[in-house]
Amino acid sequence: RVLFRSRVAAPLLLVGFYATLVVGCSSSGAPTSPPGSPKPAPGGQISFQHQVLPIFVQYGCPGCHGGTNGLTVTSVADLLHGGIHGPAIIPGNADGSILVEKVSPTPPFGSRMPQGGPYMSDSTIQVIKNWINQGAKNN
């Protein structure tokens, strides 16, 4: 019985995950998972894979920025490459990084992201800022 449940549940979970990525921008704007994000121990190194990328997934960013304006947010290399406005991140300089500017309350151009909200909390933005200020490592 358990084997049958896992064979049925796994494909359904994958369908739900991919549907969330595809419709993330056009959804009601609600995060795709419960609010909050994993936080490191005080003074700890922020992990792109375990802390930053899950924030992007939670807010539907990969679905919206799978190439929109040339920007993809699913890897450090893509964030460093950026889009039509230049690199999305500047390692060591969160306040000068377009990514931080765009998720903050008053972006210098265009709309605040994620478009239409709900917007990232200050503590969630701080995780991203800390990661960038720590060198935006691909970890």
Side-chain angles (χ1 to χ4, degrees):
R1 288 183 177 166
V2 172
L3 181 60
F4 173 74
R5 286 184 193 155
S6 65
R7 286 185 182 174
V8 171
L12 291 176
L13 286 172
L14 285 174
V15 167
F17 174 74
Y18 287 110
T20 299
L21 288 178
V22 170
V23 298
C25 287
S26 60
S27 71
S28 65
T32 57
S33 64
S37 59
K39 300 197 177 31
Q45 186 73 28
I46 306 290
S47 165
F48 177 77
Q49 291 297 320
H50 296 104
Q51 292 161 283
V52 177
L53 185 57
I55 292 170
F56 296 157
V57 171
Q58 175 182 348
Y59 285 90
C61 303
C64 295
H65 288 287
T68 302
N69 289 326
L71 179 62
T72 303
V73 299
T74 54
S75 75
V76 175
D78 288 334
L79 290 166
L80 289 167
H81 178 264
I84 64 170
H85 297 288
I89 58 173
I90 301 168
N93 184 3
D95 290 333
S97 294
I98 291 173
L99 174 66
V100 172
E101 292 175 338
K102 290 296 286 180
V103 299
S104 296
T106 55
F109 60 90
S111 301
R112 183 178 183 186
M113 295 289 128
Q115 192 170 30
Y119 303 115
M120 294 178 189
S121 67
D122 290 342
S123 62
T124 299
I125 293 170
Q126 191 62 50
V127 170
I128 295 169
K129 289 175 82 170
N130 289 347
W131 170 71
I132 294 169
N133 285 334
Q134 290 174 357
K137 294 182 176 65
N138 188 13
N139 54 2

